[in-house]
Amino acid sequence: MALLAALRRFRATSVTALLGSVGFIVTAGAFGGCSKEAPAAENGANGAAAVARTPTYVADVLQSWPHDPEAYTQGLLWQDGQLFESTGLVGKSSIREVELKTGRVLRKQDLAEPYFGEGIVIVSGVLFQVTWTSGVAFTYDPKTFAKTGEFKYEGEGWGLTTDGLSIIMSDGTATIRFRDPKTFAVTKTITVSDHDTAVSQLNELEWVKGEIWANVYQSDQIARIDPATGNVTGWINLAGLLPRLDRSGKEDVLNGIAYDAKEDRYFVTGKLWPRLYEIRLKQRS
């Protein structure tokens, strides 16, 4: 009983500890920036009620290809057999078409200072790119990268994806906004949470088989999100995907998800990563 009381006091002050002797597990990085504590995964050995864990998946690498190690990846997109990428940093931001097998940049449109490029998405033949703190989204012809217009919005811009109807946008918080592609007006919002714990730092987004997948910034985690409720239905843990020897130490964090729906392929990379990976998921036992 003394141990159980101590554990309850510990849970009230920390959500990232691992106490192997009592089976307390929290997925590393999953709850960074959250205001509420995460529930204990299980405590059956001590007689407390067990809380179901959110399923966790790991990945097998099927293939890997070269990736520009100077690309500060903000968004990754597979569309009609083409790989598109957006990069960030002021003075280095761009949208690109990239050759998958070689990593060669086939064409590029730079974004002028002072803009810091963020996520991209293609909806109804229009390529959208948001910016970090400028409150401006630019539109392009995806065939030529010619700029065709812009929209203003409030707050920050991080990641973009689409369900085929709306533009879905993250801003680094736990809130995801659905926007009208014709006006960029917000039509719906959801708050992302895992067992009632808000999950923030949501970054690059991808629509995968009716789910929103989101990189959690500065972690090796991808959240699988129910777009109707905002509930996290699973975590994809990609820790160790990029070998330590290939890391530069310059914020080379996981960021970039692309899904090839026609061939059912998943691609991931990261900021300043020298490799891009095709992965296959498996649930961790």
Side-chain angles (χ1 to χ4, degrees), residues 92-110:
K92 294 185 177 181
S93 295
S94 67
I95 54 174
R96 306 170 171 199
E97 182 189 350
V98 179
E99 187 173 61
L100 175 64
K101 292 184 178 180
T102 66
R104 183 167 63 95
V105 178
L106 300 177
R107 56 195 174 104
K108 183 175 75 163
Q109 175 64 53
D110 292 324

Side-chain angles (χ1 to χ4, degrees), residues 113-131:
E113 298 183 19
Y115 297 109
F116 188 121
E118 289 279 349
I120 55 172
V121 69
I122 296 175
V123 182
S124 300
V126 178
L127 191 155
F128 294 79
Q129 177 190 35
V130 288
T131 54

Side-chain angles (χ1 to χ4, degrees), residues 145-161:
F145 285 173
K147 192 176 292 184
T148 58
E150 61 182 62
F151 293 100
K152 298 291 181 67
Y153 58 87
E154 295 184 358
E156 295 185 0
W158 286 44
L160 292 180
T161 191

Side-chain angles (χ1 to χ4, degrees), residues 165-181:
L165 298 175
S166 299
I167 292 174
I168 303 171
M169 179 174 167
S170 66
D171 64 2
T173 69
T175 300
I176 288 180
R177 291 174 173 81
F178 291 67
R179 295 181 177 273
D180 185 329

Side-chain angles (χ1 to χ4, degrees), residues 9-204:
R9 289 194 299 270
F10 185 84
R11 283 180 56 207
T13 58
S14 175
V15 299
T16 58
L18 171 64
L19 297 179
S21 62
V22 294
F24 181 94
I25 299 175
V26 174
T27 304
F31 300 102
C34 301
S35 58
K36 291 180 63 179
E37 68 173 276
E42 72 177 69
N43 203 1
N46 292 277
V51 178
R53 295 179 190 166
T54 304
T56 300
Y57 302 83
V58 292
D60 289 328
V61 174
L62 300 182
Q63 296 189 73
S64 74
W65 298 278
H67 178 254
D68 180 2
E70 298 299 317
Y72 194 80
T73 304
Q74 301 293 75
L76 203 63
L77 172 65
W78 185 271
Q79 183 87 8
D80 298 328
Q82 296 170 285
L83 181 65
F84 295 91
E85 183 174 17
S86 62
T87 65
L89 301 177
V90 174
K92 294 185 177 181
S93 295
S94 67
I95 54 174
R96 306 170 171 199
E97 182 189 350
V98 179
E99 187 173 61
L100 175 64
K101 292 184 178 180
T102 66
R104 183 167 63 95
V105 178
L106 300 177
R107 56 195 174 104
K108 183 175 75 163
Q109 175 64 53
D110 292 324
L111 190 59
E113 298 183 19
Y115 297 109
F116 188 121
E118 289 279 349
I120 55 172
V121 69
I122 296 175
V123 182
S124 300
V126 178
L127 191 155
F128 294 79
Q129 177 190 35
V130 288
T131 54
W132 181 24
T133 57
S134 299
V136 180
F138 296 104
T139 62
Y140 305 85
D141 180 339
K143 296 180 180 179
T144 64
F145 285 173
K147 192 176 292 184
T148 58
E150 61 182 62
F151 293 100
K152 298 291 181 67
Y153 58 87
E154 295 184 358
E156 295 185 0
W158 286 44
L160 292 180
T161 191
T162 181
D163 58 3
L165 298 175
S166 299
I167 292 174
I168 303 171
M169 179 174 167
S170 66
D171 64 2
T173 69
T175 300
I176 288 180
R177 291 174 173 81
F178 291 67
R179 295 181 177 273
D180 185 329
K182 294 183 179 179
T183 65
F184 221 66
V186 176
T187 59
K188 169 186 171 182
T189 64
I190 58 173
T191 299
V192 177
S193 63
D194 185 358
H195 290 89
D196 297 322
T197 299
V199 179
S200 65
Q201 298 290 88
L202 300 176
N203 201 358
E204 219 272 294

